[in-house]
Amino acid sequence: MLLSTLHNILWPNSGWRMIDLTSLTESSEVKKAYKKARICLHPDKLQQRGGTLSQKYVADTAFSILQDAWDAFVSGDVFFNQSTVQGIVESFWEAWSKQGVHGLEGSRAVLKA
């Protein structure tokens, strides 16, 4: 779920391409998408690409949450219950909203600044 919505919080030239949730039905596809997301969000890679402070914050937060979700995925908790998914998503959006960003256009405005 996180992989299929990552495009909603990342900046336009982040290198991330939208992934449809229906394409993530196989473990191998999830693993492939996860590896791409790690490369896109990794703090060292973002620094090499000259990321802004806002981009670094978003990438760091998303990277951490994605890692927690991956750990749960590989530990065998593949089928998240609704409260687990909701908790992960709420944690991300709570961290995101603390930046005073509301909506996709607002986030893009902050990231362009």
Side-chain angles (χ1 to χ4, degrees):
M1 184 175 192
L2 291 171
L3 292 167
S4 70
T5 59
L6 200 53
H7 66 280
N8 289 319
I9 61 154
L10 296 181
W11 47 100
N13 61 348
S14 67
W16 182 255
R17 300 213 191 280
M18 185 176 125
I19 298 175
D20 192 80
L21 184 59
T22 59
S23 69
L24 298 172
T25 57
E26 300 289 328
S27 293
S28 61
E29 293 301 318
V30 174
K31 183 177 183 178
K32 189 163 124 181
Y34 169 74
K35 286 183 176 186
K36 286 180 182 180
R38 281 186 50 90
I39 291 169
C40 181
L41 297 171
H42 196 279
D44 293 339
K45 297 289 185 186
L46 185 59
Q47 186 173 348
Q48 290 172 358
R49 293 189 305 258
T52 66
L53 187 58
S54 295
Q55 290 170 345
K56 290 176 187 177
Y57 175 80
V58 170
D60 186 52
T61 303
F63 187 83
S64 176
I65 293 169
L66 190 61
Q67 182 64 47
D68 290 344
W70 177 253
D71 291 344
F73 181 80
V74 297
S75 72
D77 188 17
V78 177
F79 300 103
F80 294 111
N81 62 35
Q82 184 62 30
S83 63
T84 302
V85 171
Q86 185 175 355
I88 291 169
V89 172
E90 285 176 2
S91 294
F92 183 81
W93 288 114
E94 179 182 336
W96 180 247
S97 66
K98 284 182 182 177
Q99 292 298 302
V101 178
H102 302 286
L104 184 57
E105 292 306 314
S107 65
R108 286 187 177 151
V110 169
L111 293 173
K112 286 181 183 177

